[in-house]
């Protein structure tokens, strides 16, 4: 591991673990600005985490160790996911590899543990959120796998670094493959991050929440970990969109410099979508994801036609 | 030859154990049988790992011959590794009544029938073992449930469907034997028509026995009604032996098959996978849910097998061996975790009396070892890292992506559709098993205590813990098993042996690192979580007490999915309100998801055949003269045919 | 001599198709069996063939005795008439015999005419079973078929065929005996030997 890859690794881990709450803060602040409010400032998530870290945990009657382990497992999974998702094609290998399908599996493990915690506490809101989350993930996972598969086919490998380097450069954007798969991956990303039109991250009403449900029984450091989880998902999916599905440069320096700029632009887009688009009915979300899947299949056919 | 000695000693021990169980006492006899299966496991494993063959090779003539080669050795090891804990479990599960003694003897016969099938090297022993393997579980079900109409109906459907469908197996093997191709494609290059005939009949015949959709109707009836260890053996091993024969016929003996057969196998696998898991989600009885889930996993194995056939037709032999290895690996994994889940459900049945998942709960605290093992098994079957289910699903996903990579437009589309099916299946399996875990293991106990509750004895705990440990170990070091599995293809593949999974092209699944990382991080975060807790507080239910009426049921949890897939599933729903003077007294809600294959495919077929049978019955007039007229007609027809030269 | 006996067998067969009285039919069947035995004796060259011929004679006499006893023991109260009149019966029998003879597989038979006679007798036997309603006639039909097979086997002048013929003869004799027992039972059950009563057994 030479100096540059060491630096890249450091930036990746630091960005994922420490800087990811800023993404959430930026989106919240932009939404506030667009909606004519003053906004809490971009560092609000850090203040939340600090406040929650000082508070005590909840001990729910009748729960087993699963309740205690769920946020822990979910956070560990996301730390490994941060190590797997590279920020450039020369990111170092932390030992976990850079396989895209391992990423999908790890996200499923995180989802599973949170749903298990809501069964453990038997909280009605948690179970409602968990049931919707997992039902939607049935469609989201298929869309995710097929969009990643299209890029895997053009890269001839499932290693994310290879995917980054193969899709670099402007010539890839002449054929319709990458734009189509960008659309489908954006739909999945919105679903996984939990932004509108799929889920409303600001609400705690049972009619509108999906990811917020299981959080209701947690407090203190558990809740801090779970809120950090959401921020880490933002990091993972925005980095993936930025480095694979949008036009990016082929040299490491260009990729590194462009990363924060593009991510910021994506935050602006996310805030705009949240402000303008109305939240969908929960049962309509699979339809949206199926549209994403079909788009990805069209991209695959386009890829095969051009090859 | 050490393999032969160990194999023979294993068989002898199993026979001895069976007889002893029948005559004396099933408990110690089951231990002897378990030792026998351990010896079988060792023999099979050694043959598989050292790629050593003993005994005769395959012949097409009808002299009985036995032998063992690496593929048979692998499935023998699979049988051993599943049967050993199942037998130890039965020691604690069954009592000493006559029925249990009969069941113990019959299970030894069942194991012997499967060993015979795996070691058979000629058509007579293959078909004989096949028939015995089909018939013995039927006998076991009838012994376990004497004079119960539901059991006899289930056995009737089981025997009927497996024999009608299983005729395909007979056709395939006899045609192959007739063309002297039972040893391998080198003996004779078969004509295209014969190849297609053998392929189709093998897929129908073995697919029926393995539980592929649409031939699967017997599985959700026969598996739940058998006692738990028998279900574990049926679902764990019997289905895999059908896969063994399918691999032999399609890959070993036929040579390269045309591409469209590979695509049909892919389609059947995708249909079984998605259909099986969707049906499993809407079941309310635990064993029936597990049985439908077996259909899903057979679908996944068939997907990998189809991918292997496609690769072979595309002349990508490296990936063909990888896909075949993925199919065999998933067979092993499924055998382990499915038998684990069935044994766990048997324990719950003894403890609670019934297996309605809406009436269970809180079993993780009451039965800790069983509960944790069941949890590990459920996570493995849902395909979560770092357990073994994820490793084999990862391999299958990779194989399907590469089918699209190497193929032309049509094959890529088929591969992409199969890929979507597998991804959907994996997510649906997560839904199904999070629901099972939540309702069965977690939460509060929803059922009244059972009067004849039996606490799990030590052998039962040991058996389940052993299987859970196998899941963990194979999940952490899958490469050690997979490296040998690649060598099982008739065209030699090469794979460097390592703990994780490394595929050509750079894709890798470094399982040791991922597991180690997960464990370390879980430890760090758990410690960082701290211990500053408030006092115990109840679950938040808007300030009310959490009464049992506020608890979620399985149909509630799967309702979003049911509503989304409404047009496909067509659930039926009825709501009845009873009022007394415009005040609603009671509301009854009933909903069900019908089994569409039964209502749309099998029931019309059944009705058609019955009406035709009524018509044919008119031919039986009871008069001897009419019968002789038939005979005269037959003689005239036969003579004319001879005269015309049709029959010689 | 041989041709005459064969024609005798055929005439006996055709008459049995047409006649009404059972005792007459038994007499004609005995005639036919004796004619067959005569052919066997005439053609016997070796010891085995003589033994077989002797067995055929014994069989003819034994069957005659058995059937006469049967006929005398079971008197029908109402005459059992077949539904098909005698002339049509005879016509059917002759027609079927001609069809079967025409359909004989053409192969190198040394004794084609014996085969023709056999096939004719088989046709007569089948028609008797198919068209007549009295149980006795069913038995006679079976005996006729047995005679026909024996005749065909006699035509083959080889050692093994005689042994086979002997075995076949004995087997079919046993079947005829069983059928006689059934005739007795049916009579005891229904009070008549009318085969059409068996259609009651259909569910």
């Amino acid at each position: 591991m030479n100096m540059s890859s060491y630096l890249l690794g450091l930036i990746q881990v630091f960005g994922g673990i420490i800087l990811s709450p800023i993404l959430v803060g930026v989106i919240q602040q932009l939404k506030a600005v667009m909606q004519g409010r003053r906004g809490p400032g971009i560092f609000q998530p850090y203040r939340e985490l600090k406040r929650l870290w000082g508070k005590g945990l909840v001990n729910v009657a009748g729960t087993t160790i699963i309740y205690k382990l769920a946020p822990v497992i979910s956070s560990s999974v996301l730390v490994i996911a941060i190590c797997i998702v590279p920020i450039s094609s020369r990111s170092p290998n932390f030992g976990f590899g850079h396989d895209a399908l391992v990423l999908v599996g790890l996200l499923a493990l995180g989802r599973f543990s949170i749903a298990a915690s809501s069964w453990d506490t038997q909280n009605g809101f948690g179970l409602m959120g968990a049931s919707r989350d997992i039902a939607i993930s049935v469609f989201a996972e298929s869309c995710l796998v097929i969009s990643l598969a299209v890029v895997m086919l053009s890269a001839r490998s499932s290693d994310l670094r290879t995917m980054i380097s193969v899709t670099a450069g402007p010539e890839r954007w002449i054929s319709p493959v990458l734009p189509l798969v960008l659309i489908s991956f954006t739909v999945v990303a919105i679903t996984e991050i939990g932004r509108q039109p799929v889920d409303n991250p600001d609400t705690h009403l049972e009619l509108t929440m999906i990811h917020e449900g299981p959080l209701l029984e947690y407090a203190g450091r558990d809740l801090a970990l779970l809120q950090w989880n959401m921020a880490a998902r933002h990091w993972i999916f925005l980095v993936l969109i930025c480095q694979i599905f949008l036009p990016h440069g082929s040299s490491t320096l260009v990729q590194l410099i462009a990363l924060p700029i593009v991510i910021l632009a994506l935050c602006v887009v996310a805030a705009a979508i949240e402000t303008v688009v109305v939240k969908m009915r929960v049962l309509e979300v699979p339809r949206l994801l199926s549209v994403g899947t079909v788009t990805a299949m069209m991209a695959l056919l386009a890829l095969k036609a051009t090859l | 030859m050490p393999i032969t000695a160990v194999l023979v000693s294993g068989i002898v021990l199993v026979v001895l154990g069976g007889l002893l169980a029948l005559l004396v006492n099933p408990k110690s006899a089951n231990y002897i049988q378990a030792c026998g299966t351990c010896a079988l496991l060792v023999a099979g494993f050694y043959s598989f790992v050292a790629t050593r063959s003993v005994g005769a090779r395959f012949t097409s003539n009808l002299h009985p011959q036995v032998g063992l080669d690496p593929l048979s050795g692998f499935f023998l090891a699979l049988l051993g590794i599943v049967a050993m804990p199942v037998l130890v479990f039965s020691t604690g599960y069954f009592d000493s009544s006559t029925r249990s003694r009969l069941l113990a003897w019959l299970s030894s016969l069942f194991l012997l029938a499967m060993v015979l099938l795996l070691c058979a090297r000629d058509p007579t022993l293959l078909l004989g073992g096949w028939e015995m393997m089909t018939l013995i579980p039927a006998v076991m079900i009838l012994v376990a449930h004497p004079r119960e109409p539901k059991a006899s109906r289930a056995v009737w459907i089981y025997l009927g469907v497996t024999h009608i469908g299983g005729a395909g197996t007979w056709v395939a093997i006899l045609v192959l034997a007739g063309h002297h191709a039972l040893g391998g494609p080198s003996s004779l290059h078969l004509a295209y028509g014969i190849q297609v005939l053998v392929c189709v009949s093998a897929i129908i015949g073995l697919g029926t026995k393995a539980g592929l959709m649409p031939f699967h109707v017997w599985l959700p009836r026969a598996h739940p009604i058998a006692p738990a260890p028998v279900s574990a053996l049926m679902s764990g091993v019997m289905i895999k032996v059908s896969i063994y024969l399918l691999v032999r016929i399609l890959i070993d003996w036929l040579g390269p098959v045309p591409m469209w057969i590979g695509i049909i196998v892919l389609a059947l696998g995708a249909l079984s996978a998605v259909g099986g898991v969707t049906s499993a989600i809407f079941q309310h009885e635990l064993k029936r849910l597990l049985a439908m889930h077996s259909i899903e996993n057979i679908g996944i194995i068939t997907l990998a097998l189809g991918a292997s056939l496609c690769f072979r037709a595309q002349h990508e032999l490296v990936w063909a061996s990888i896909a075949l290895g993925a199919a065999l690996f998933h067979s092993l994994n499924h055998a382990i975790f499915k038998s684990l889940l069935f044994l766990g459900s048997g324990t719950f049945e003894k403890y609670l009396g019934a297996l309605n998942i809406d009436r269970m709960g809180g079993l993780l605290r009451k039965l800790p070892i069983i509960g944790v093992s069941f949890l590990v098994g459920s996570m493995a079957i849902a395909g979560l890292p770092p357990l073994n289910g994820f490793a084999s699903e990862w391999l299958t996903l990779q194989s399907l992506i590469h089918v699209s990579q190497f193929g032309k437009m049509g094959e890529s589309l088929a591969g992409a559709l199969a890929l979507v099916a597998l991804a959907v299946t994996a997510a649906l399996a997560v839904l199904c098993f999070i629901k099972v875990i939540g309702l069965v293991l977690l939460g509060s106990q929803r059922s009244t205590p059972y009067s004849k509750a039996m606490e799990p004895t030590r052998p039962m705990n040991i058996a389940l813990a052993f299987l859970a440990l196998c899941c963990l170990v194979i999940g952490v070091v899958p490469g050690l098993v997979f490296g040998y599995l690649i060598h099982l293809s008739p065209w030699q593949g090469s794979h460097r042996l390592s703990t994780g999974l490394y595929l050509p092209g750079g894709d890798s699944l470094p399982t040791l690192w991922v597991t180690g990382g997960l464990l370390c991080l879980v430890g760090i975060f758990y410690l960082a979580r701290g211990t500053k807790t408030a006092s115990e507080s109840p679950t938040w239910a808007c300030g009310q007490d959490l009464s049992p009426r506020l608890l979620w049921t399985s149909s509630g949890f799967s309702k979003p999915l049911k509503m989304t897939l409404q047009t496909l599933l067509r659930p039926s729903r009825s709501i009845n309100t009873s009022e007394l003077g415009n005040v609603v007294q009671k509301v009854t809600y009933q909903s069900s998801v019908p089994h569409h294959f039964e209502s749309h495919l099998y029931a019309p077929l059944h009705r058609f055949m019955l009406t035709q049978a009524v018509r044919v019955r008119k031919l039986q007039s009871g008069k001897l003269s009419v019968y002789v007229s038939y005979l005269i007609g037959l003689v005239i027809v036969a003579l004319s045919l001879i005269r015309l030269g049709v029959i010689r | 001599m041989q041709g005459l006996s064969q024609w005798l067998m055929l005439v006996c067969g055709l008459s049995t198709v047409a006649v009404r009285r059972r005792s007459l039919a038994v007499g004609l069947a005995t005639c036919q069996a004796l004619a067959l035995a005569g052919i066997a004796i005439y053609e016997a060259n070796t010891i085995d063939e003589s033994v077989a011929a002797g067995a055929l004679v014994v069989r003819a006499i034994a069957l005659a005795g058995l059937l006469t006893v049967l006929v005398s023991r079971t008197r029908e109260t109402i005459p059992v008439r077949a539904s098909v009149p005698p002339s049509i019966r005879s016509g059917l029998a002759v027609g079927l015999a001609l069809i079967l003879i025409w359909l004989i597989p053409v192969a190198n038979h040394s004794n084609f005419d014996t085969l023709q006679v056999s096939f004719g007798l088989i046709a007569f036997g089948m028609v008797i079973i198919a068209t007549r309603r009295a149980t006795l006639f069913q038995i006679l039909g079976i005996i006729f078929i047995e005679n026909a097979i024996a005749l065909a086997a006699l035509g083959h002048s080889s050692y093994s065929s005689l042994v086979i013929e002997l075995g076949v003869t004995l087997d079919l004799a046993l079947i005829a005996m069983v059928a006689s027992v059934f005739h007795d039972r049916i009579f005891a059950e229904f009070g008549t030997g009318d085969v059409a009563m068996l259609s009651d057994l259909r569910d």
Side-chain angles (χ1 to χ4, degrees):
Chain A
M1 241 172 35
N2 55 358
M3 203 57 198
S4 64
S5 61
Y6 189 67
L7 195 64
L8 282 171
L10 204 62
I11 295 178
Q12 180 175 328
V13 173
F14 181 75
I17 298 184
I18 308 291
L19 288 183
S20 45
I22 282 194
L23 299 174
V24 180
V26 165
I27 297 182
Q28 295 291 105
Q29 179 67 21
L30 285 169
K31 249 174 41 178
V33 166
M34 285 185 209
Q35 289 167 8
R37 294 183 272 126
R38 203 167 67 180
I42 62 172
F43 293 110
Q44 183 61 17
Y46 289 108
R47 295 184 205 120
E48 288 253 352
L49 287 175
K50 183 163 163 234
R51 174 182 69 96
L52 285 171
W53 200 259
K55 292 200 162 190
L57 305 165
V58 174
N59 183 8
V60 182
T63 55
T64 61
I65 187 116
I66 290 189
Y67 169 75
K68 302 186 185 70
L69 278 181
V72 168
I73 293 181
S74 175
S75 314
S76 328
V77 156
L78 281 167
V79 168
I80 298 187
I82 287 175
C83 297
I84 287 183
V85 171
I87 55 173
S88 88
S89 45
R90 300 253 293 278
S91 284
N93 188 353
F94 290 98
F96 306 122
H98 290 279
D99 198 85
L101 296 172
V102 176
L103 177 68
V104 174
L106 286 172
L107 291 174
L109 178 60
R111 200 178 302 129
F112 185 88
S113 53
I114 295 294
S117 80
S118 53
W119 275 108
D120 205 13
T121 59
Q122 298 187 296
N123 186 347
F125 304 109
L127 280 170
M128 184 174 289
S131 82
R132 288 170 177 173
D133 186 19
I134 297 201
I136 289 177
S137 81
V138 168
F139 300 90
E141 207 168 286
S142 73
C143 188
L144 179 64
V145 167
I146 191 88
S147 346
L148 286 173
V150 171
V151 187
M152 277 192 240
L153 282 176
S154 57
R156 296 185 174 270
S157 160
S158 65
D159 193 328
L160 283 167
R161 291 179 297 180
T162 325
M163 283 157 72
I164 294 181
S165 62
V166 162
T167 52
E171 64 272 1
R172 282 286 175 161
W173 280 77
I174 300 178
S175 75
V177 174
L178 273 181
L180 283 173
V181 88
L182 169 69
I183 295 175
S184 61
F185 193 79
T186 313
V187 172
V188 175
I190 293 179
T191 313
E192 291 277 348
I193 295 178
R195 295 257 153 219
Q196 299 211 12
V198 172
D199 185 14
N200 193 344
D202 303 325
T203 183
H204 289 272
L205 292 174
E206 65 265 23
L207 289 178
T208 54
M209 64 187 173
I210 299 178
H211 286 113
E212 296 291 314
L215 269 58
L216 279 184
E217 282 295 328
Y218 285 106
R221 296 191 181 180
D222 284 337
L223 190 56
L225 283 177
L226 288 172
Q227 293 206 347
W228 176 80
N229 284 358
M230 204 41 100
R233 282 172 184 250
H234 277 78
W235 166 265
I236 291 174
F237 279 93
L238 288 180
V239 165
L240 276 177
I241 295 183
C242 169
Q243 297 295 55
I244 296 183
F245 294 96
L246 283 176
H248 51 277
S250 14
S251 79
T252 319
L253 196 61
V254 174
Q255 283 170 358
L256 209 53
I257 294 181
L259 182 68
I261 304 174
V262 178
I263 287 191
L264 215 61
L266 286 174
C267 291
V268 172
V269 170
I273 293 179
E274 283 229 305
T275 313
V276 169
V277 175
V278 167
K279 183 182 176 312
M280 294 177 91
R281 225 191 117 186
V282 170
L283 297 174
E284 303 279 324
V285 174
R287 204 171 293 183
L288 177 69
L289 288 164
S290 315
V291 167
T293 314
V294 168
T295 317
M297 298 278 267
M298 290 200 311
L300 185 130
L301 288 175
L303 179 69
K304 277 290 155 180
T306 52
L307 269 185
Chain B
M1 259 265 147
I3 301 182
T4 330
V6 175
L7 182 64
V8 169
S9 61
I11 294 179
V12 163
L13 278 174
V14 171
V15 170
L16 209 61
L19 287 173
L20 218 62
L22 186 63
L23 301 171
V24 179
N25 175 17
K27 288 196 195 285
S28 45
N30 275 330
Y31 280 121
I32 298 181
Q33 279 191 48
C35 293
T37 46
C38 185
L40 289 173
L41 163 68
V42 168
F45 185 69
Y46 187 60
S47 163
F48 159 57
V49 164
T51 53
R52 199 84 60 86
S53 315
V54 291
R57 309 183 57 83
F58 277 97
T59 55
S60 300
N61 51 9
L62 299 175
H63 298 292
Q65 274 175 329
V66 291
L68 194 68
D69 72 336
L71 185 62
S72 303
F74 172 68
F75 278 93
L76 202 61
L78 194 156
L79 190 151
I81 208 171
V82 168
M84 211 168 48
V86 167
L87 285 167
V88 171
F89 181 87
S90 344
T91 322
Y93 183 79
F94 287 121
D95 48 11
S96 308
S97 63
T98 320
R99 192 181 302 173
S100 312
R101 287 203 248 140
L102 263 178
L103 280 173
W105 176 61
L106 284 170
S107 65
S108 76
L109 281 183
F110 187 39
L111 289 171
L112 286 171
M114 287 194 280
V115 170
L116 178 69
L117 184 57
L118 288 173
C119 296
R121 288 290 176 261
D122 79 296
T124 48
L125 281 185
L126 272 174
L127 291 171
W130 174 261
E131 283 301 313
M132 272 177 65
M133 191 179 81
T134 310
L135 292 172
I136 294 181
V139 178
M140 285 206 269
I141 294 176
L142 287 174
V143 164
H145 296 271
R147 290 182 296 275
E148 258 177 60
K150 194 167 141 222
S152 17
R153 191 174 158 75
V155 167
W156 186 236
I157 293 182
Y158 164 56
L159 285 176
V161 175
T162 42
H163 274 89
I164 294 177
T169 322
W170 284 75
V171 167
I173 292 187
L174 290 174
V175 166
L176 277 175
H179 287 262
H180 302 284
L182 213 63
S186 57
S187 8
L188 197 69
H189 248 296
L190 294 171
Y192 181 71
I194 304 282
Q195 222 182 21
V196 169
L197 171 69
V198 171
C199 277
V200 171
S201 49
I203 291 173
I204 293 180
L206 293 161
T208 308
K209 200 60 198 297
L212 276 180
M213 275 191 177
F215 317 117
H216 65 287
V217 231
W218 62 274
L219 213 150
R221 289 176 206 257
H223 282 210
I225 213 165
V230 177
S231 300
L233 277 179
M234 280 171 78
S235 196
V237 192
M238 185 171 83
I239 299 183
K240 306 305 177 305
V241 174
S242 322
I243 297 286
Y244 158 75
L245 267 180
L246 197 62
V247 167
R248 276 269 185 227
I249 293 182
L250 285 180
I251 294 191
D252 236 357
W253 292 339
L254 271 184
V257 295
M259 185 69 160
W260 61 271
I261 290 190
I263 294 191
I264 286 185
V265 174
L266 272 180
L268 282 176
L271 177 66
S272 309
V274 178
V277 74
T278 314
S279 310
I281 290 178
F282 299 108
Q283 301 297 327
H284 290 273
E285 206 246 327
L286 183 58
K287 272 192 174 172
R288 202 176 146 103
L289 190 150
L290 292 174
M292 305 288 320
H293 221 271
S294 297
I295 300 178
E296 177 227 343
N297 281 289
I298 290 290
I300 297 180
I301 297 174
T302 318
L303 273 174
L305 205 60
S308 176
L309 292 173
C310 287
F311 282 131
R312 199 150 176 219
Q314 291 164 344
H315 304 289
E316 291 282 340
L317 291 182
V318 173
W319 274 96
S321 52
I322 291 176
L324 180 63
L328 295 174
F329 192 39
H330 197 75
S331 312
L332 176 66
N333 292 338
H334 178 238
I336 294 179
F337 47 66
K338 193 38 79 66
S339 43
L340 169 63
L341 290 172
F342 265 112
L343 292 182
S345 66
T347 322
F348 298 148
E349 195 174 20
K350 286 275 179 182
Y351 187 71
L352 290 175
L355 279 177
N356 187 353
I357 51 177
D358 289 324
R359 298 265 176 275
M360 298 163 86
L363 289 172
L364 188 60
R365 291 189 149 192
K366 292 274 168 70
L367 313 171
I369 301 183
I370 308 273
V372 168
S373 315
F374 197 83
L375 181 65
V376 170
S378 309
M379 287 174 70
I381 205 171
L384 299 176
L387 295 168
N388 52 359
F390 177 66
S392 48
E393 274 186 21
W394 183 82
L395 282 169
T396 316
L397 279 169
Q398 288 278 1
S399 316
L400 288 174
I401 291 178
H402 282 86
V403 167
S404 294
Q405 187 167 319
F406 297 126
K408 302 185 281 290
M409 187 76 95
E411 297 144 13
S412 310
L413 191 59
L417 287 171
L419 185 68
V420 170
L422 186 55
V424 166
T425 306
L428 284 170
V430 167
L431 199 164
C432 185
F433 275 92
I434 189 69
K435 193 178 59 148
V436 166
I437 289 178
L439 283 167
V440 169
L441 294 177
L442 305 174
S444 56
Q445 192 160 5
R446 303 182 188 204
S447 62
T448 51
Y450 183 47
S451 53
K452 287 189 281 183
M454 186 180 104
E455 293 270 342
T457 56
R458 190 190 298 187
M460 293 157 83
N461 286 335
I462 292 180
L464 272 128
F466 172 73
L467 283 171
L469 199 66
C470 283
C471 283
L472 268 169
V473 166
I474 297 184
V476 171
V477 283
L480 291 179
V481 179
F482 187 66
Y484 291 110
L485 279 173
I486 292 203
H487 292 297
L488 282 182
S489 46
W491 56 94
Q492 287 292 314
S494 71
H495 180 83
R496 72 165 205 274
L497 209 61
S498 52
T499 52
L501 290 170
Y502 296 95
L503 296 176
D507 315 328
S508 62
L509 174 58
T511 42
L512 265 184
W513 274 98
V514 170
T515 318
L518 266 178
L519 286 173
C520 285
L521 285 167
V522 163
I524 292 175
F525 276 115
Y526 194 73
L527 291 172
R529 185 176 169 262
T531 47
K532 186 166 128 186
T533 17
S535 62
E536 205 177 76
S537 60
T539 311
W540 176 247
C542 290
Q544 312 174 46
D545 283 330
L546 193 66
S547 72
R549 285 163 42 173
L550 289 179
L551 295 176
W552 276 60
T553 59
S554 72
S555 29
F557 194 78
S558 40
K559 186 145 185 205
L561 190 72
K562 189 163 73 174
M563 292 188 69
T564 316
L565 295 178
Q566 199 160 278
T567 39
L568 270 177
L569 296 172
R570 297 181 191 278
S572 70
R573 187 174 176 238
S574 72
I575 301 179
N576 292 318
T577 46
S578 58
E579 302 183 4
L580 190 62
N582 279 345
V583 176
V584 174
Q585 304 287 332
K586 193 167 80 164
V587 178
T588 319
Y589 169 81
Q590 246 181 332
S591 111
S592 72
V593 176
H595 195 184
H596 286 295
F597 275 105
E598 287 206 19
S599 50
H600 293 305
L601 183 64
Y602 282 90
L605 215 71
H606 196 218
R607 274 197 299 270
F608 174 72
M609 291 182 70
L610 279 179
T611 43
Q612 295 308 311
V614 165
R615 277 195 210 152
V616 169
R617 212 160 48 157
K618 294 201 183 112
L619 283 176
Q620 287 185 335
S621 61
K623 286 196 241 184
L624 195 57
S625 42
V626 178
Y627 296 153
V628 174
S629 324
Y630 294 155
L631 191 64
I632 294 175
L634 188 67
V635 167
I636 293 182
V637 165
L639 282 176
S640 345
L641 286 175
I642 295 179
R643 192 65 190 274
L644 289 172
V646 174
I647 307 177
R648 232 163 280 281
Chain C
M1 170 64 188
Q2 194 176 340
L4 205 60
S5 310
Q6 289 175 348
W7 272 112
L8 180 61
M9 289 174 76
L10 278 175
V11 165
C12 289
L14 194 53
S15 323
T16 322
V17 176
V19 301
R20 217 173 55 192
R21 293 183 65 89
R22 298 185 301 169
S23 33
L24 206 54
V26 170
L28 286 167
T30 318
C31 240
Q32 193 190 62
L34 284 173
L36 177 67
I39 298 179
I41 294 173
Y42 184 68
E43 288 196 356
N45 295 327
T46 65
I47 301 281
D48 301 305
E49 290 173 9
S50 316
V51 168
L56 280 176
V57 171
V58 167
R59 168 177 162 263
I61 299 175
L63 274 175
L66 177 68
L67 289 174
T68 319
V69 165
L70 264 178
V71 168
S72 60
R73 270 191 55 187
T74 59
R75 288 264 162 235
E76 300 273 358
T77 48
I78 314 170
V80 177
R81 296 275 153 81
S83 49
V84 184
S87 42
I88 299 190
R89 282 203 299 262
S90 321
L92 270 175
V94 170
L96 187 63
L98 287 175
I99 291 176
L100 284 184
I101 288 171
W102 178 63
L103 282 177
I104 291 177
V106 180
N108 50 345
H109 293 295
S110 51
N111 42 356
F112 192 62
D113 40 358
T114 318
L115 257 182
Q116 285 177 323
V117 174
S118 309
F119 270 77
L121 279 176
I122 289 178
F124 291 160
M126 284 187 181
V127 169
I128 291 178
I129 300 179
T131 53
R132 307 222 49 170
R133 281 165 61 180
T135 320
L136 183 74
F137 282 100
Q138 318 288 326
I139 302 173
L140 286 181
I142 294 175
I143 293 176
F144 279 14
I145 297 180
E146 183 190 330
N147 287 347
I149 297 176
L151 185 63
L154 273 181
H156 268 282
S157 53
S158 61
Y159 173 78
S160 56
S161 72
L162 269 175
V163 175
I164 294 170
E165 167 220 328
L166 194 60
V168 164
T169 309
L170 283 173
D171 271 356
L172 291 176
L174 269 172
I175 294 174
M177 251 188 271
V178 170
S180 318
V181 171
F182 266 113
H183 169 78
D184 208 351
R185 288 279 115 223
I186 291 173
F187 206 88
E189 178 69 37
F190 287 111
T192 161
D194 193 351
V195 173
M197 299 292 284
L198 281 176
S199 60
D200 276 353
L201 292 175
R202 165 179 164 223
D203 54 335

